Amino acid sequence: MATSDRIERERLAKRKRILDAARDLFATRGIEAVTLREIAQRIEYSTTAIYVQFKDKQDLLDQMVREDFAAFSAALAAVATVVDPVERLGKLGDAYVTFAMTMPRHYQLLFMTSHAASSPDDKDHDVAGVDGYHLLLRTVTECVDSGRFRPELRDPDGLAQAIWATVHGVVSLLIVMGPDDVFRWRSPAIIAELALGNMLRGMLVVEPTERDPRPTRRR
């Protein structure tokens, strides 16, 4: 391996360690309370080593949030090609839960930490942050326009926000309270199916011959 390749690989590995430490501290203590010095101490680096990678804490935060939103958007985009919009809704819910429970610190930073999106001039960050919502809204709109939802359910924005709030409630509760065994938690997939699956079934038009209408979802 060329020396330049090795140096770049080491730089990226160091950058990842810095971001991982910062993400953990931001999510547990709040962004404002954490300093670059604390981040450096967590991974036994010098503060100077962080300044080599990032110009300041805001730059570190902006890059972290942009990258985490990109990973989140990619997880949802993986099911965007599902043709049936009702099936797509179920798969979006599955992808959302999988991302949140596989990368809980990423999810905490993006959706459970105040001021994570704190760079209004960062247009790329703004776009990445709403990609997932636009996909959800487009899918819900298709369900409304194609008559798959009950006729009184005509507000795609409200429906999309209610669906998002439902799934967010499931994963945020599990991230914060999941380690406590006193609640005898069921798996994230089971809880999400009980919450979102039943919600979606309640939204669907029931055909006269159908006894158990439900989104087609793979477990």
Side-chain angles (χ1 to χ4, degrees), residues 12 22 32 36 38 218:
L12 291 175
E32 295 299 325
L36 290 182
E38 289 177 272
R218 293 182 181 177

Side-chain angles (χ1 to χ4, degrees), residues 79-99:
V79 299
T81 57
V82 173
V83 176
D84 182 79
V86 176
E87 181 181 358
R88 194 187 317 139
L89 270 181
K91 291 186 179 297
L92 282 172
D94 291 341
Y96 192 107
V97 171
T98 298
F99 175 88

Side-chain angles (χ1 to χ4, degrees), residues 100-137:
M101 302 313 299
T102 303
M103 308 176 78
R105 285 301 191 223
H106 295 68
Y107 187 87
Q108 250 181 308
L109 176 73
L110 296 178
F111 298 110
M112 300 170 64
T113 305
S114 297
H115 307 300
S118 56
S119 181
D121 294 330
D122 187 346
K123 300 304 181 185
D124 289 337
H125 167 265
D126 289 344
V127 171
V130 299
D131 279 350
Y133 180 71
H134 284 166
L135 175 56
L136 172 61
L137 180 59

